[in-house]
Structures are given as C-alpha cells and as structure tokens.
C-alpha cells in the first residue's frame, strides 16, 4: 500500500519512534490522545509484528512528538526550512516542480564551481 512504510524500514522507524516517545516524557496513551488516535494505537504499531502505521497517522504522532515523518521513517532530521521547501514543492504543479528542480540543479552546479 502506498500509505504504509516499507517493511524494510520496520526496525529503524520503531526505534526512532520509541526514542521520540521517551524524549517527550509522555505516555503512549497521552500521545495518542493528543494525536486524536485510539489510546492503544502506539502499542499496536510498536508491539504487533508486521503492524505499520498509515502516513497520515504517523504525521499526527510526529506533530505531537515534535519531530517529522521524514525523521521517523528515514532518520533524516530536516530543519524547518527544508520542511517548508518540501511542503511548497508538493503544492506545485508538475511543470513548476520541473522548473524548480532545474533552477536548483543550476544553482548547486554553480556553487560547486565557486567552491572548487
């Protein structure tokens, strides 16, 4: 399914989610309640073999835990500017996305030449 995490990432995302939960100082029930999810949801996805969260639910959890889905899924800690860029990019038409990518590639290439 397109809204689920790939089984390849199972152990890593669970470790990161557990770590963020511990850092929050909140119980699983508190986080679920704040995220608008069933109180047992975190226990279900963390403890049941093969259980994977839907991306929309993972976003809710990430918001409550003050992290990002990108960090939970990939371990990439994107800052606020990168998160904003991604949000703006996804709101664009395919044609505008192509144009933005072209500009960014050009700017990156020019930066590489200046640094060299």
């Amino acid at each position: 399914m397109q809204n689920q995490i790939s089984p390849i990432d199972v152990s890593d995302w669970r470790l990161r989610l557990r770590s963020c939960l511990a850092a929050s100082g909140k119980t699983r029930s508190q986080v679920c309640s704040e995220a608008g999810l069933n109180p047992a949801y975190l226990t279900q996805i963390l403890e049941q073999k093969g259980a994977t969260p839907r991306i929309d639910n993972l976003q809710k959890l990430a918001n409550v835990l003050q992290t990002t889905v990108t960090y939970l899924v990939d371990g990439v800690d994107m800052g606020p500017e990168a998160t904003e860029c991604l949000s703006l990019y996804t709101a664009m038409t395919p044609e505008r996305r192509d144009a933005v990518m072209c500009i960014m590639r050009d700017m990156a290439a020019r930066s590489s030449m200046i640094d060299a």
Side-chain angles (χ1 to χ4, degrees), residues 42-61:
L42 266 172
T43 298
Q44 177 186 1
I45 63 170
L46 288 172
E47 307 301 335
Q48 287 184 6
K49 186 174 182 156
T52 55
R54 291 188 347 220
I55 293 298
D56 61 329
N57 288 339
L58 200 56
Q59 180 64 61
K60 292 174 186 177
L61 293 171

Side-chain angles (χ1 to χ4, degrees), residues 47-92:
E47 307 301 335
Q48 287 184 6
K49 186 174 182 156
T52 55
R54 291 188 347 220
I55 293 298
D56 61 329
N57 288 339
L58 200 56
Q59 180 64 61
K60 292 174 186 177
L61 293 171
N63 289 342
V64 171
L65 296 171
Q66 297 182 346
T67 189
T68 63
V69 171
T70 314
Y71 173 73
L72 293 174
V73 174
D74 296 323
V76 176
D77 193 5
M78 290 180 23
E81 289 175 345
T83 302
E84 181 184 11
C85 285
L86 184 58
S87 177
L88 293 169
Y89 178 84
T90 58
M92 293 178 190

Side-chain angles (χ1 to χ4, degrees), residues 2 12 21 25 55 61 89 102:
Q2 67 183 10
D12 291 341
L21 179 62
I55 293 298
L61 293 171
Y89 178 84
C102 192

